[in-house]
Amino acid sequence: DIQMTQSPSSLSASVGDRVTITCRASQGISNYLAWFQQRPGKAPKSLIYAASHLQSGVPSRFSGFGSGTDFTLTISSLQPEDFATYYCQQYSSYPLTFGGGTKVEIK
Amino acid sequence: EVQLVESGGGLVQPGGSLRLSCATSGLTFSNYWMSWVRQAPGKGLEWVANINQDESEKYYVDSVKGRFTISRDNAKNSLYLQMNSLRVEDTAVYYCAKGGSHDYWGQGTLVTLSS
């Protein structure tokens, strides 16, 4: 199974900050990586697919980068609605696996 | 607008069964792989199963193999998860999601195992 390791597991940041979350795969997954945002009590929402492609309707302050084993999600200027938990997920091979999540909290 | 609406969750005793449903609209359902993903209380996301367009391919996480069965009815634009021999550790919110990259999600349905 491919293990997905996110770091950090949590972070505190202020509105307007630039935030970067890292996701590392235990083996190469090409660009078969997605990122999700989950607000408390809500369903996950897709942000990015194929490592760097923004889903329709997602603000351009979100961006994804990477290929192979190392990936990043960057929020260029944190907004109040961005405080949430973020997950990466590989869809290169079965079982599909998620990272443990990164909780972004208000400083 | 794409909509996925799960139903069928509830309280069940260990060893019992439940059938979850996911009704879809706003997409050509028969064109897409579909998935079930679950989230135990206070925990992260776990992929459970997915199915291809004509049901010829089905995949499961090891912990549910032999107990859960994913299926679909393209005429009804619906996805299903038959869950048998339920265990306490199956307690979770179950989401249906579109595709392998999960680009749309339902609101989830809660399955609670308790004796």
Side-chain angles (χ1 to χ4, degrees):
Chain A
D1 297 5
I2 298 175
Q3 309 303 316
M4 305 301 293
T5 303
Q6 281 183 241
S7 60
S9 57
S10 65
L11 64 91
S12 295
S14 301
V15 172
D17 284 352
R18 181 182 181 89
V19 167
T20 297
I21 297 167
T22 297
C23 179
R24 176 165 289 175
S26 61
Q27 62 191 79
I29 60 170
S30 184
N31 68 336
Y32 294 103
L33 185 99
W35 289 98
F36 304 93
Q37 176 193 67
Q38 186 176 34
R39 298 186 177 111
K42 300 295 186 182
K45 172 188 173 183
S46 177
L47 299 175
I48 286 170
Y49 65 98
S52 61
H53 292 76
L54 212 61
Q55 286 285 3
S56 175
V58 173
S60 59
R61 63 181 179 273
F62 290 92
S63 63
F65 183 79
S67 184
T69 60
D70 295 311
F71 302 87
T72 57
L73 173 70
T74 297
I75 309 171
S76 60
S77 178
L78 203 62
Q79 298 301 301
E81 60 269 29
D82 301 336
F83 291 95
T85 299
Y86 294 84
Y87 295 92
C88 62
Q89 178 228 322
Q90 67 82 18
Y91 52 101
S92 172
S93 66
Y94 291 102
L96 308 184
T97 46
F98 290 86
T102 296
K103 187 173 184 179
V104 177
E105 299 176 302
I106 300 173
K107 182 182 285 183
Chain B
E1 179 191 8
V2 174
Q3 290 196 325
L4 309 177
V5 180
E6 302 92 338
S7 61
L11 179 65
V12 62
Q13 291 186 337
S17 298
L18 275 179
R19 188 192 194 211
L20 306 184
S21 299
C22 172
T24 74
S25 59
L27 72 162
T28 306
F29 179 75
S30 58
N31 285 356
Y32 299 103
W33 284 74
M34 296 294 296
S35 291
W36 288 99
V37 178
R38 67 185 178 184
Q39 187 170 35
K43 302 297 184 182
L45 300 170
E46 181 184 38
W47 169 79
V48 174
N50 69 359
I51 186 170
N52 74 339
Q53 292 88 336
D54 65 0
E55 299 191 277
S56 60
E57 296 184 57
K58 302 179 183 182
Y59 299 92
Y60 301 90
V61 69
D62 281 351
S63 59
V64 309
K65 282 179 184 174
R67 301 188 299 123
F68 290 11
T69 302
I70 190 171
S71 63
R72 64 192 295 162
D73 185 333
N74 288 338
K76 294 183 177 179
N77 297 320
S78 292
L79 177 72
Y80 305 101
L81 187 68
Q82 177 66 44
M83 304 188 297
N84 297 331
S85 302
L86 282 161
R87 304 168 180 169
V88 170
E89 57 265 32
D90 295 319
T91 294
V93 175
Y94 285 74
Y95 298 100
C96 65
K98 170 182 168 283
S101 59
H102 304 139
D103 49 358
Y104 290 95
W105 297 64
Q107 85 289 347
T109 187
L110 177 62
V111 173
T112 303
L113 276 293
S114 176
S115 55

